[in-house]
Amino acid sequence: MTLLEGSVGVEDLVLLEPLEQESLIRNLQLRYEKKEIYTYIGNVLVSVNPYQQLPIYDLEFVAKYRDYTFYELKPHIYALANMAYQSLRDRDRDQCILITGESGAGKTEASKLVMSYVAAVCGKGEQVNSVKEQLLQSNPVLEAFGNAKTIRNNNSSRFGKYMDIEFDFKGSPLGGVITNYLLEKSRVVKQLEGERNFHIFYQLLAGADAQLLKALKLERDTGGYAYLNPDMSRVDGMDDDANFKVLQSAMTVIGFSEEEIRQVLEVAALVLKLGNVELINEFQANGVPASGIRDGRGVQEIGELVGLNSVELERALCSRTMETAKEKVVTALNVVQAQYARDALAKNIYSRLFNWLVNRINESIKVGSGEKRKVMGVLDIYGFEILEDNSFEQFVINYCNEKLQQVFIEMTLKEEQEEYKREGIPWVKVEYFDNGIICNLIEHNQRGILAMLDEECLRPGVVSDSTFLAKLNQLFSKHSHYESKVTQNAQRQYDHSMGLSCFRICHYAGKVTYNVNSFIDKNNDLLFRDLSQAMWKARHPLLRSLFPEGDPKQASLKRPPTAGAQFKSSVTTLMKNLYSKNPNYIRCIKPNEHQQRGHFSFELVSVQAQYLGLLENVRVRRAGYAYRQVYGSFLERYRLLSRSTWPRWNGGDQEGVEKVLGELSMSSEELAFGKTKIFIRSPKTLFYLEEQRRLRLQQLATLIQKTYRGWRCRTHYQLMRKSQIVISSWFRGNMQKKRYGKMKASALLIQAFVRGWKARKNYRKYFRSGAALILSNFIYKSMVQKFLLGLKNNLPSPSILDKKWPSAPYKYFNTANHELQRLFHQWKCKKFRDQLSPKQVEVLREKLCASELFKGKKASYPQSVPIPFHGDYIGLQRNPKLQKLKGGEEGPILMAETVMKVNRGNAKTSSRILLLTKGHVIITDTKNPQAKTVIPLNSLAGVSVTSFKDGLFSLHLSEISSVGSKGEFLLVSEHVIELLTKICRATLDATRMQLPVTVTEEFSVKFKEGSLMVKIIQGPGGGGTGKLSCKKKGSRCLEVTVQ
């Protein structure tokens, strides 16, 4: 039992203290804010709509609640459904689950959860699964045709539904029967602002393909239909297209044929088309007002859709035939009457279609008459309603809720009385409000409001809502639960909220004021016989079957029963059905008006709690004993409070409970001992028991902790003592071993000295004095031989890159070992050089020269090491035109490359071709090869280059005039390492002098007119790319940025 400890608030309101309306609502609010949406009132479940998906409905929760009884886990709808199902299966008691609450409170979802739970826990098998699927798939069909978006709820059920699910003796579903109550058919022709018509119309227009819409003569735009609210064509969180496909699939699963589905959609389309039939004023020849149809195309399309003569339909809409036993009189209808007839026809067609769907579903899920079966009924019906303007619909809805409240009180008291009798406890009569007087006020056969309404509808002469109200005022002037303006005036009371056309009934949930306007029309619910006959003449099988009274052979002058009489009869049948079953209640509450998750409106919930009679429910449950529990469970929970029953009790459960409560000195007035249960009168006594249990648990926890700590300390001490003994023994043994070892070592040392003394004595006696030197030389040579032979066998590989070398075994071999390593490396280098071709030798010499010039100085040098020097980068060998640039210079071309020349005047660069021969450097324009500059190598005074990754360099000349140029050259090369290396080697070969190469970030370039200072700086990028940006700083300075 988890009702008290670790719970949020009070899980069962029967145990609520103090028992007041405010504390009840506060408890619901506290639990709702912690996402605990379910609360008990005994075996009644209160459900607060969370407006969000909670993770408490998966298969894990189904399995959990399946294995426990009602009070063993937290309140949940699965617990109530499981209790009802187990009672039906194991005790053969028919069950009914009554789900009530106002629109938006979550009644429909609650009924789905009950059905899904029962489907999950009942038997398996192909036939059983088929029945379960049909029962579950009836929901999408009924929701599509019976639900609509209202201001309060996006998926509001606009009809009452009672479903009997029938099971076999094993608890497996066999089928079911659905009964519907009071479909809100007025919604077909008119909706309030912010509301929609029934879902099916929007699903049909959004989900049907173009071919189907064409066959139904419909357009996809909802704005083209008078019966649809164009501002509410879409609803957040609702996909009409997908829902239409779900509807078609569900109808197929239930057993509808494709032809039946097509006919249902055609009748739905007919209702939409009727709304677009526009009626206009006309006058007969005698000047009597009449009506006509503005555009006959709409009527013609209706006729084509359902096989109906458009002329007959027009005549039925615009005229009425009055038939008596002797004659027939045809009367023309004015526009208002014709519009009423058109809307009445649309409402009747849709209402009868809905009834046909329910009957068709029942045919598919019905059970054979020969099988014995158990029944579980699920009632999803509208809750008590108090609106600003309450009409006939609210009157019959509240009448139904009065009857349900009567059933609840009577059956709850009956169940309490039966339990008391079963347990052998005296039953004391409970004082409670009996709403039978209100039910009698409404339903009395001769003097009830419904009887007066039927009498007024059937009375000849002038009949109106005012005459009906006058009759009520006369009949119920002194009734304690009836008020009107007339009765208030008679009692000299003034109430400005009471209108002249209103009356008020004091219901169990509060006073409700009803406006009698349209009571007569809504109760009559008349459809002109002409329209019934016209529909029967249609060649559409389904539409024709909906109007059997249109058949002339079955024509009857008898007036059909009124809507009130039909509803009263349905309620009577429902009450009889409920009285024959064991009831289970789910009270649904809407926490706020805006469907917001987490928001709890105290005022709104208070009103609903009053409507649902929650406080009255709690008081009825607490009228006798608030808490009862079987002896075994009670003793298991509280036996720790008595020394006689703790920690072990061998007697009976009842005796044990008496021992526990006797030692606690509980008042005898607070307790009653039944045959199998203990009864406790007030919640305070139970809370006292819980507090004593909590204190006792603390004492036991302290005792357990004390015992555990003592055991742990003893165990630790014994382990330490045992360890100390082991350590001591090992220590003493080790001490003795060390002492023995020292004694043995001393003895051996003494023996060695004695033997040595004897050996030396014998040596001096028998050997020459030079023997020691000979022996040492022999040993040394042996060691050298061993070292050299070992080195021979462990020589490293002949690769010049392999620098491994065995280390010397003794320190005095280190010098010889290093020299041998150097000689071996020189030998490997010579062997490697001997294998090289002259071209490879030249390449290595160039790489060596580049290393001497740039290693550790130029940032781009490491990248150039693995790249072979190519020499020709402009395709000189394959291009004879470029070979002519050499002119008459001697020798081969050592380097040919395209370089960029930096202009000293504007810092811009231009492309040039640079050729290097053995004696000259030739620089020529790429566009004009004739314009070239020839620089002898002996005229070069030096080269300046930066340390960055760029290719900028300057050729310094010893004499500018000898070259014939304007000055020294500032060039940029992509292969600067290779180019300068080749220039240095060619200069050395030509002049026998080393060309100076300066690595610097600042140098001067000379011209005939003067000199230009070049400064190289590193850009923000760190000079990683090597790209150059040149900028002139004055007339004598050039700044180069390396990116």
Side-chain angles (χ1 to χ4, degrees):
M1 175 181 170
T2 59
L3 291 177
L4 295 174
E5 63 181 29
S7 62
V8 178
V10 179
E11 293 183 343
D12 192 341
L13 295 176
V14 173
L15 304 178
L16 183 66
E17 287 288 344
L19 182 55
E20 298 172 352
Q21 179 84 355
E22 182 177 355
S23 60
L24 187 148
I25 305 303
R26 291 293 180 200
N27 187 72
L28 291 177
Q29 182 177 12
L30 173 64
R31 291 179 58 75
Y32 179 77
E33 289 171 352
K34 299 295 183 180
K35 295 187 179 180
E36 297 288 348
I37 64 171
Y38 296 117
T39 309
Y40 291 143
I41 303 177
N43 58 357
V44 176
L45 181 72
V46 179
S47 171
V48 185
N49 194 339
Y51 292 120
Q52 60 179 309
Q53 290 294 330
L54 297 179
I56 58 174
Y57 302 111
D58 54 22
L59 293 177
E60 179 182 351
F61 277 83
V62 171
K64 182 190 298 185
Y65 281 88
R66 181 180 186 177
D67 297 333
Y68 289 87
T69 57
F70 190 69
Y71 286 112
E72 288 186 303
L73 296 173
K74 293 196 297 185
H76 199 289
I77 194 170
Y78 284 171
L80 183 134
N82 184 62
M83 181 180 68
Y85 177 71
Q86 287 186 348
S87 180
L88 174 136
R89 184 190 62 190
D90 302 334
R91 302 179 188 173
D92 286 338
R93 297 180 63 184
D94 288 350
Q95 304 289 317
C96 64
I97 299 176
L98 281 68
I99 306 173
T100 57
E102 71 171 59
S103 178
K107 301 187 299 298
T108 302
E109 287 302 316
S111 65
K112 288 181 185 177
L113 289 171
V114 170
M115 293 179 63
S116 64
Y117 178 83
V118 173
V121 300
C122 63
K124 301 291 189 291
E126 184 176 349
Q127 183 177 359
V128 173
N129 290 338
S130 175
V131 172
K132 289 194 293 187
E133 190 66 19
Q134 286 183 337
L135 290 172
L136 293 175
Q137 291 301 323
S138 65
N139 282 323
V141 178
L142 295 180
E143 283 188 17
F145 286 89
N147 288 24
K149 183 206 179 306
T150 64
I151 297 174
R152 297 180 175 183
N153 185 5
N154 288 347
N155 188 31
S156 176
S157 296
R158 308 316 299 161
F159 69 104
K161 181 180 72 172
Y162 177 75
M163 178 181 230
D164 269 335
I165 308 173
E166 301 179 351
F167 299 83
D168 62 11
F169 69 97
K170 297 178 294 184
S172 300
L174 299 173
V177 178
I178 300 173
T179 306
N180 63 298
Y181 300 95
L182 199 66
L183 176 72
E184 188 192 12
K185 57 186 178 183
S186 60
R187 179 171 294 273
V188 173
V189 299
K190 185 179 180 181
Q191 306 95 42
L192 297 177
E193 184 177 353
E195 296 191 349
R196 294 206 314 178
N197 210 322
F198 291 100
H199 291 328
I200 180 60
F201 299 119
Y202 303 91
Q203 293 176 5
L204 176 59
L205 296 179
D209 55 36
Q211 183 178 359
L212 179 57
L213 285 178
K214 184 178 180 181
L216 298 177
K217 304 186 183 303
L218 296 175
E219 299 292 336
R220 198 172 296 279
D221 183 18
T222 58
Y225 300 97
Y227 282 166
L228 301 184
N229 189 344
D231 298 331
M232 298 302 298
S233 60
R234 293 190 178 278
V235 178
D236 293 339
M238 187 174 292
D239 188 344
D240 291 322
D241 186 3
N243 289 340
F244 183 71
K245 294 178 175 58
V246 171
L247 168 66
Q248 290 178 307
S249 174
M251 295 179 76
T252 303
V253 170
I254 293 171
F256 285 77
S257 65
E258 291 186 6
E259 183 61 27
E260 285 177 321
I261 297 174
R262 178 67 172 252
Q263 290 177 13
V264 169
L265 297 179
E266 287 173 348
V267 174
L270 166 62
V271 175
L272 280 180
K273 301 291 288 182
L274 270 176
N276 287 355
V277 175
E278 189 175 355
L279 298 157
I280 59 173
N281 278 313
E282 289 185 357
F283 292 92
Q284 293 181 326
N286 57 3
V288 177
S291 60
I293 295 176
R294 182 185 297 276
D295 185 2
R297 181 183 174 188
V299 177
Q300 184 177 355
E301 288 183 348
I302 292 174
E304 294 173 357
L305 181 63
V306 295
L308 189 63
N309 189 324
S310 59
V311 176
E312 289 187 3
L313 177 58
E314 183 174 356
R315 185 186 307 117
L317 288 172
C318 298
S319 64
R320 179 184 181 187
T321 302
M322 304 292 291
E323 186 174 353
T324 64
K326 297 181 180 180
E327 61 178 344
K328 286 184 180 181
V329 179
V330 179
T331 306
L333 302 177
N334 58 34
V335 172
V336 176
Q337 293 171 333
Q339 289 174 346
Y340 173 84
R342 177 200 62 191
D343 292 345
L345 176 60
K347 292 188 289 185
N348 268 273
I349 291 175
Y350 192 81
S351 176
R352 297 182 187 207
L353 173 63
F354 187 77
N355 292 335
W356 181 88
L357 282 169
V358 172
N359 293 331
R360 179 64 183 83
I361 293 172
N362 286 338
E363 287 181 13
S364 296
I365 63 177
K366 68 180 179 181
V367 184
S369 58
E371 299 184 52
K372 183 180 178 182
R373 49 191 180 269
K374 310 170 186 179
V375 179
M376 176 186 289
V378 180
L379 176 64
D380 172 9
I381 202 162
Y382 9 69
F384 199 88
E385 289 190 357
I386 301 180
L387 307 179
E388 292 183 6
D389 185 18
N390 299 288
S391 187
F392 179 76
E393 291 84 2
Q394 283 70 46
F395 176 73
V396 294
I397 286 172
N398 293 343
Y399 159 60
C400 179
N401 278 271
E402 282 286 355
K403 296 294 289 182
L404 290 175
Q405 177 69 6
Q406 187 179 33
V407 170
F408 171 76
I409 294 175
E410 290 182 4
M411 299 196 73
T412 301
L413 290 175
K414 180 181 177 183
E415 185 181 357
E416 289 279 294
Q417 188 174 3
E418 287 179 352
E419 184 172 17
Y420 279 44
K421 183 179 179 181
R422 193 166 53 245
E423 293 293 326
I425 295 176
W427 170 256
V428 180
K429 185 176 180 181
V430 177
E431 295 294 333
Y432 66 95
F433 170 67
D434 185 2
N435 66 337
I437 187 174
I438 303 174
C439 297
N440 197 48
L441 169 66
I442 299 172
E443 68 180 2
H444 192 277
N445 289 335
Q446 283 80 35
R447 297 175 57 85
I449 294 177
L450 287 175
M452 293 300 102
L453 182 59
D454 287 350
E455 181 180 312
E456 196 67 11
C457 290
L458 298 173
R459 183 173 63 84
V462 179
V463 177
S464 66
D465 298 315
S466 300
T467 60
F468 165 63
L469 181 59
K471 181 174 289 189
L472 295 183
N473 292 335
Q474 179 183 358
L475 190 61
F476 303 118
S477 59
K478 296 182 180 180
H479 199 289
S480 60
H481 290 80
Y482 175 86
E483 295 178 10
S484 70
K485 200 70 173 178
V486 173
T487 61
Q488 287 179 348
N489 291 338
Q491 298 174 10
R492 296 184 179 181
Q493 296 177 353
Y494 177 71
D495 184 359
H496 67 276
S497 64
M498 178 73 75
L500 292 174
S501 62
C502 297
F503 68 91
R504 181 178 296 154
I505 295 179
C506 300
H507 290 280
Y508 78 94
K511 296 182 178 181
V512 184
T513 302
Y514 299 100
N515 192 328
V516 297
N517 289 335
S518 301
F519 259 59
I520 299 294
D521 287 341
K522 292 179 179 178
N523 189 51
N524 277 324
D525 194 24
L526 290 178
L527 179 68
F528 297 151
R529 186 177 290 109
D530 304 68
L531 293 171
S532 298
Q533 292 175 350
M535 293 300 104
W536 185 83
K537 292 177 182 178
R539 292 188 297 276
H540 192 276
L542 176 56
L543 181 62
R544 183 186 178 96
S545 68
L546 298 181
F547 293 88
E549 75 275 15
D551 186 356
K553 297 179 182 179
Q554 299 181 11
S556 174
L557 300 180
K558 183 179 178 181
R559 188 183 183 92
T562 62
Q566 294 180 47
F567 188 75
K568 177 184 174 183
S569 175
S570 299
V571 169
T572 302
T573 305
L574 175 63
M575 295 303 114
K576 184 179 178 181
N577 201 348
L578 296 180
Y579 276 118
S580 66
K581 296 178 174 62
N582 182 53
N584 303 272
Y585 300 92
I586 301 176
R587 306 297 204 194
C588 297
I589 292 178
K590 178 170 62 175
N592 61 77
E593 289 282 10
H594 309 292
Q595 304 177 34
Q596 294 178 354
R597 64 178 65 179
H599 178 60
F600 189 95
S601 172
F602 190 90
E603 295 76 12
L604 179 64
V605 175
S606 298
V607 173
Q608 293 175 79
Q610 182 182 359
Y611 294 170
L612 294 170
L614 298 186
L615 197 61
E616 187 74 14
N617 292 359
V618 179
R619 285 174 178 156
V620 169
R621 282 285 300 181
R622 284 175 56 166
Y625 293 91
Y627 176 80
R628 71 284 315 264
Q629 183 61 276
V630 294
Y631 288 123
S633 300
F634 188 88
L635 181 62
E636 181 65 27
R637 184 170 183 83
Y638 297 110
R639 65 191 180 95
L640 52 83
L641 299 180
S642 171
R643 294 184 180 275
S644 302
T645 57
W646 180 263
R648 196 172 289 104
W649 172 252
N650 298 321
D653 291 341
Q654 181 174 352
E655 184 183 355
V657 172
E658 291 174 353
K659 284 278 187 183
V660 171
L661 296 177
E663 292 187 16
L664 291 173
S665 301
M666 306 287 289
S667 172
S668 59
E669 295 179 356
E670 286 290 315
L671 306 173
F673 294 92
K675 295 178 180 178
T676 62
K677 295 182 180 179
I678 173 69
F679 289 74
I680 298 177
R681 186 175 298 278
S682 67
K684 290 182 180 178
T685 304
L686 183 64
F687 294 150
Y688 171 75
L689 286 172
E690 283 295 316
E691 179 65 16
Q692 293 300 314
R693 182 177 182 271
R694 185 183 66 80
L695 295 175
R696 181 60 177 156
L697 283 174
Q698 290 181 353
Q699 294 173 1
L700 292 175
T702 304
L703 177 62
I704 293 170
Q705 290 173 351
K706 180 178 70 174
T707 306
Y708 170 72
R709 290 192 185 107
W711 169 82
R712 191 175 64 176
C713 289
R714 283 193 301 275
T715 305
H716 183 63
Y717 166 75
Q718 292 170 356
L719 182 62
M720 290 180 64
R721 185 172 181 274
K722 183 178 179 181
S723 301
Q724 187 269 336
I725 294 172
V726 172
I727 292 171
S728 299
S729 63
W730 275 94
F731 178 76
R732 286 192 293 269
N734 191 48
M735 288 285 291
Q736 294 299 324
K737 287 178 182 178
K738 284 185 178 180
R739 185 182 177 198
Y740 169 75
K742 288 182 179 179
M743 293 175 65
K744 183 178 180 181
S746 300
L748 292 176
L749 181 62
I750 293 171
Q751 291 175 357
F753 271 104
V754 171
R755 292 191 188 98
W757 174 75
K758 288 183 177 180
R760 287 191 297 274
K761 185 178 179 182
N762 292 330
Y763 171 75
R764 285 193 296 271
K765 183 177 179 181
Y766 297 107
F767 294 94
R768 296 174 300 179
S769 59
L773 181 61
I774 296 172
L775 288 172
S776 63
N777 288 335
F778 175 77
I779 293 172
Y780 179 75
K781 290 178 181 178
S782 299
M783 291 172 65
V784 170
Q785 184 181 15
K786 183 178 180 181
F787 166 65
L788 293 176
L789 291 175
L791 187 63
K792 173 187 175 184
N793 297 329
N794 294 316
L795 285 175
S797 66
S799 172
I800 60 173
L801 298 178
D802 187 0
K803 296 184 179 181
K804 294 180 182 178
W805 187 257
S807 59
Y810 304 104
K811 289 184 178 180
Y812 51 81
F813 287 161
N814 283 346
T815 304
N817 192 47
H818 290 158
E819 187 65 22
L820 288 172
Q821 181 181 4
R822 185 183 65 79
L823 291 173
F824 183 74
H825 181 70
Q826 289 181 351
W827 174 78
K828 288 196 296 184
C829 292
K830 183 177 182 306
K831 293 283 287 184
F832 178 75
R833 287 196 302 273
D834 292 344
Q835 295 173 1
L836 295 177
S837 64
K839 186 176 181 180
Q840 288 175 323
V841 172
E842 185 63 25
V843 169
L844 287 177
R845 286 176 177 169
E846 287 180 346
K847 287 291 182 180
L848 178 61
C849 181
S851 174
E852 293 172 350
L853 291 173
F854 300 110
K855 184 176 181 181
K857 301 176 183 178
K858 181 73 173 170
S860 60
Y861 170 74
Q863 298 176 359
S864 69
V865 171
I867 302 174
F869 289 166
H870 187 59
D872 184 6
Y873 292 97
I874 61 174
L876 188 67
Q877 300 300 328
R878 300 185 302 274
N879 196 334
K881 293 183 179 180
L882 294 177
Q883 291 180 6
K884 293 180 179 180
L885 295 175
K886 173 184 173 185
E889 302 299 332
E890 74 284 354
I893 295 176
L894 304 177
M895 183 80 176
E897 183 191 8
T898 300
V899 298
M900 303 300 293
K901 179 186 176 188
V902 180
N903 191 303
R904 64 186 177 85
N906 54 16
K908 293 184 178 179
T909 58
S910 55
S911 180
R912 296 288 189 272
I913 294 176
L914 185 146
L915 303 178
L916 173 64
T917 66
K918 289 186 176 182
H920 297 84
V921 174
I922 303 171
I923 300 174
T924 181
D925 194 340
T926 55
K927 297 180 181 179
N928 185 11
Q930 300 300 324
K932 64 180 180 178
T933 303
V934 180
I935 305 172
L937 293 179
N938 55 11
S939 298
L940 291 177
V943 178
S944 293
V945 66
T946 72
S947 62
F948 301 126
K949 288 187 177 182
D950 61 290
L952 181 70
F953 68 95
S954 174
L955 295 178
H956 300 294
L957 305 177
S958 56
E959 294 183 11
I960 298 175
S961 58
S962 64
V963 178
S965 66
K966 295 181 180 181
E968 295 176 347
F969 292 89
L970 187 60
L971 305 173
V972 181
S973 170
E974 291 183 1
H975 308 90
V976 65
I977 300 296
E978 180 181 356
L979 176 60
L980 296 184
T981 299
K982 289 182 179 292
I983 290 177
C984 289
R985 284 177 55 81
T987 303
L988 181 63
D989 293 341
T991 63
R992 302 297 178 186
M993 294 177 63
Q994 187 72 38
L995 180 67
V997 178
T998 305
V999 181
T1000 180
E1001 277 68 56
E1002 187 175 330
F1003 54 85
S1004 176
V1005 181
K1006 297 179 181 179
F1007 298 95
K1008 288 182 178 180
E1009 296 83 1
S1011 64
L1012 179 68
M1013 180 61 65
V1014 180
K1015 293 182 179 180
I1016 298 91
I1017 61 175
Q1018 195 171 16
T1025 62
K1027 294 182 179 179
L1028 299 177
S1029 174
C1030 301
K1031 187 175 181 182
K1032 195 74 178 295
K1033 295 285 187 176
S1035 60
R1036 297 295 179 181
C1037 183
L1038 177 66
E1039 185 177 272
V1040 181
T1041 303
V1042 182
Q1043 300 296 332

